[in-house]
Short mmCIF file of all heavy atoms in Angstrom, two decimals:
data_model
loop_
_atom_site.label_atom_id
_atom_site.label_comp_id
_atom_site.label_asym_id
_atom_site.label_seq_id
_atom_site.Cartn_x
_atom_site.Cartn_y
_atom_site.Cartn_z
N TRP P 29 -1.88 -34.10 -39.17
CA TRP P 29 -0.70 -34.98 -39.34
C TRP P 29 0.34 -34.65 -38.26
O TRP P 29 0.49 -33.46 -37.91
CB TRP P 29 -0.07 -34.76 -40.71
CG TRP P 29 0.94 -35.82 -41.07
CD1 TRP P 29 0.69 -36.98 -41.75
CD2 TRP P 29 2.34 -35.87 -40.74
NE1 TRP P 29 1.81 -37.75 -41.85
CE2 TRP P 29 2.85 -37.07 -41.24
CE3 TRP P 29 3.18 -34.99 -40.03
CZ2 TRP P 29 4.20 -37.41 -41.11
CZ3 TRP P 29 4.49 -35.34 -39.89
CH2 TRP P 29 5.01 -36.54 -40.42
N LYS P 36 8.96 -35.84 -34.69
CA LYS P 36 10.25 -35.23 -34.39
C LYS P 36 10.57 -34.18 -35.46
O LYS P 36 10.19 -34.28 -36.61
CB LYS P 36 11.36 -36.28 -34.37
CG LYS P 36 11.27 -37.24 -33.21
CD LYS P 36 12.41 -38.22 -33.19
CE LYS P 36 12.37 -39.14 -31.99
NZ LYS P 36 12.60 -38.41 -30.71
N LEU P 37 11.31 -33.16 -35.03
CA LEU P 37 11.63 -32.05 -35.92
C LEU P 37 12.33 -32.50 -37.19
O LEU P 37 12.09 -31.92 -38.26
CB LEU P 37 12.51 -31.03 -35.20
CG LEU P 37 11.90 -30.37 -33.92
CD1 LEU P 37 12.87 -29.36 -33.36
CD2 LEU P 37 10.59 -29.68 -34.26
N ALA P 38 13.18 -33.51 -37.11
CA ALA P 38 13.94 -33.98 -38.28
C ALA P 38 13.06 -34.50 -39.39
O ALA P 38 13.46 -34.53 -40.56
CB ALA P 38 14.95 -35.03 -37.85
N MET P 39 11.83 -34.93 -39.06
CA MET P 39 10.96 -35.50 -40.05
C MET P 39 10.40 -34.45 -41.01
O MET P 39 9.96 -34.76 -42.12
CB MET P 39 9.79 -36.24 -39.39
CG MET P 39 10.23 -37.49 -38.62
SD MET P 39 8.83 -38.40 -37.92
CE MET P 39 8.09 -39.06 -39.41
N TRP P 40 10.45 -33.18 -40.64
CA TRP P 40 9.94 -32.10 -41.48
C TRP P 40 10.67 -32.08 -42.84
O TRP P 40 10.01 -31.91 -43.90
CB TRP P 40 10.09 -30.75 -40.78
CG TRP P 40 9.77 -29.58 -41.65
CD1 TRP P 40 10.63 -28.63 -42.12
CD2 TRP P 40 8.48 -29.23 -42.17
NE1 TRP P 40 9.98 -27.74 -42.89
CE2 TRP P 40 8.64 -28.06 -42.95
CE3 TRP P 40 7.21 -29.79 -42.07
CZ2 TRP P 40 7.59 -27.42 -43.61
CZ3 TRP P 40 6.15 -29.17 -42.71
CH2 TRP P 40 6.34 -28.01 -43.47
N ALA P 41 11.96 -32.32 -42.84
CA ALA P 41 12.70 -32.27 -44.07
C ALA P 41 12.21 -33.34 -45.06
O ALA P 41 12.29 -33.14 -46.28
CB ALA P 41 14.21 -32.46 -43.78
N GLY P 42 11.72 -34.44 -44.56
CA GLY P 42 11.28 -35.53 -45.43
C GLY P 42 9.89 -35.37 -45.98
O GLY P 42 9.55 -36.02 -46.98
N ILE P 43 9.07 -34.55 -45.35
CA ILE P 43 7.66 -34.47 -45.81
C ILE P 43 7.29 -33.14 -46.42
O ILE P 43 6.25 -33.05 -47.11
CB ILE P 43 6.72 -34.76 -44.61
CG1 ILE P 43 6.78 -33.58 -43.59
CG2 ILE P 43 7.04 -36.09 -43.94
CD1 ILE P 43 5.64 -33.62 -42.58
N LYS P 44 8.08 -32.10 -46.21
CA LYS P 44 7.60 -30.77 -46.62
C LYS P 44 7.38 -30.66 -48.13
O LYS P 44 6.53 -29.86 -48.57
CB LYS P 44 8.58 -29.70 -46.14
CG LYS P 44 9.95 -29.74 -46.83
CD LYS P 44 10.83 -28.58 -46.34
CE LYS P 44 12.16 -28.57 -47.07
NZ LYS P 44 12.99 -27.42 -46.65
N GLY P 45 8.12 -31.44 -48.91
CA GLY P 45 7.96 -31.33 -50.34
C GLY P 45 6.74 -32.08 -50.89
O GLY P 45 6.45 -31.99 -52.10
N GLN P 46 6.07 -32.82 -50.00
CA GLN P 46 4.93 -33.60 -50.49
C GLN P 46 3.72 -33.45 -49.55
O GLN P 46 2.92 -34.36 -49.40
CB GLN P 46 5.32 -35.07 -50.59
CG GLN P 46 6.06 -35.60 -49.38
CD GLN P 46 6.58 -37.01 -49.61
OE1 GLN P 46 6.11 -37.72 -50.48
NE2 GLN P 46 7.58 -37.38 -48.84
N LEU P 47 3.63 -32.24 -48.99
CA LEU P 47 2.53 -31.99 -48.04
C LEU P 47 1.14 -32.13 -48.72
O LEU P 47 0.19 -32.58 -48.09
CB LEU P 47 2.67 -30.57 -47.43
CG LEU P 47 3.65 -30.45 -46.27
CD1 LEU P 47 3.71 -29.00 -45.81
CD2 LEU P 47 3.26 -31.34 -45.12
N ILE P 50 0.25 -35.69 -48.66
CA ILE P 50 0.04 -36.20 -47.31
C ILE P 50 -1.30 -35.73 -46.74
O ILE P 50 -2.00 -36.47 -46.06
CB ILE P 50 1.20 -35.74 -46.39
CG1 ILE P 50 2.53 -36.40 -46.82
CG2 ILE P 50 0.91 -36.05 -44.93
CD1 ILE P 50 3.72 -35.91 -46.07
N ALA P 67 7.34 -22.10 -42.00
CA ALA P 67 7.51 -23.35 -41.25
C ALA P 67 8.98 -23.78 -41.28
O ALA P 67 9.52 -24.23 -40.25
CB ALA P 67 6.63 -24.43 -41.86
N ASP P 68 9.62 -23.62 -42.43
CA ASP P 68 11.05 -23.96 -42.53
C ASP P 68 11.83 -23.16 -41.50
O ASP P 68 12.73 -23.68 -40.80
CB ASP P 68 11.60 -23.62 -43.94
CG ASP P 68 11.22 -24.68 -44.93
OD1 ASP P 68 10.90 -25.83 -44.52
OD2 ASP P 68 11.25 -24.38 -46.14
N ILE P 71 11.14 -24.36 -37.85
CA ILE P 71 11.80 -25.65 -37.58
C ILE P 71 13.33 -25.45 -37.44
O ILE P 71 13.99 -25.99 -36.55
CB ILE P 71 11.53 -26.68 -38.70
CG1 ILE P 71 10.04 -27.05 -38.73
CG2 ILE P 71 12.40 -27.93 -38.53
CD1 ILE P 71 9.61 -27.96 -37.60
N ILE P 75 15.63 -26.41 -34.20
CA ILE P 75 16.74 -27.40 -34.32
C ILE P 75 18.06 -26.78 -33.85
O ILE P 75 18.93 -27.48 -33.27
CB ILE P 75 16.86 -27.91 -35.76
CG1 ILE P 75 15.66 -28.82 -36.09
CG2 ILE P 75 18.18 -28.68 -35.99
CD1 ILE P 75 15.60 -29.32 -37.52
N PHE P 86 6.69 -31.37 -33.58
CA PHE P 86 5.78 -30.53 -34.36
C PHE P 86 4.55 -31.35 -34.79
O PHE P 86 4.60 -32.59 -34.79
CB PHE P 86 6.50 -29.92 -35.59
CG PHE P 86 6.65 -30.86 -36.74
CD1 PHE P 86 5.73 -30.96 -37.76
CD2 PHE P 86 7.78 -31.72 -36.82
CE1 PHE P 86 5.88 -31.83 -38.83
CE2 PHE P 86 7.94 -32.61 -37.87
CZ PHE P 86 6.98 -32.65 -38.88
N LEU P 97 1.55 -25.19 -38.95
CA LEU P 97 2.53 -26.15 -38.37
C LEU P 97 2.85 -25.60 -36.99
O LEU P 97 3.21 -24.43 -36.84
CB LEU P 97 3.79 -26.22 -39.20
CG LEU P 97 4.92 -27.10 -38.65
CD1 LEU P 97 5.63 -27.82 -39.80
CD2 LEU P 97 5.94 -26.28 -37.85
N GLY P 183 7.02 -40.57 -43.30
CA GLY P 183 8.26 -39.94 -42.79
C GLY P 183 9.29 -40.98 -42.39
O GLY P 183 10.27 -40.65 -41.72
N LYS P 185 11.54 -42.51 -44.16
CA LYS P 185 12.90 -42.36 -44.73
C LYS P 185 13.83 -41.55 -43.86
O LYS P 185 15.00 -41.90 -43.63
CB LYS P 185 12.82 -41.73 -46.11
CG LYS P 185 14.19 -41.63 -46.80
CD LYS P 185 14.07 -41.09 -48.19
CE LYS P 185 15.46 -41.05 -48.86
NZ LYS P 185 15.35 -40.53 -50.27
N GLY P 186 13.29 -40.47 -43.30
CA GLY P 186 14.14 -39.63 -42.40
C GLY P 186 14.64 -40.39 -41.19
O GLY P 186 15.80 -40.27 -40.81
N GLU P 190 18.65 -41.86 -40.20
CA GLU P 190 19.36 -41.69 -38.92
C GLU P 190 19.95 -43.01 -38.47
O GLU P 190 21.10 -43.08 -37.97
CB GLU P 190 18.40 -41.15 -37.87
CG GLU P 190 17.88 -39.76 -38.13
CD GLU P 190 16.83 -39.33 -37.13
OE1 GLU P 190 16.66 -40.04 -36.11
OE2 GLU P 190 16.18 -38.29 -37.35
#
Side-chain angles (χ1 to χ4, degrees):
W29 192 91
K36 291 183 178 292
L37 299 181
M39 293 184 69
W40 172 248
I43 69 166
K44 68 177 183 178
Q46 46 188 339
L47 279 179
I50 294 174
D68 282 340
I71 294 286
I75 289 176
F86 78 93
L97 177 143
K185 183 175 181 179
E190 294 174 12

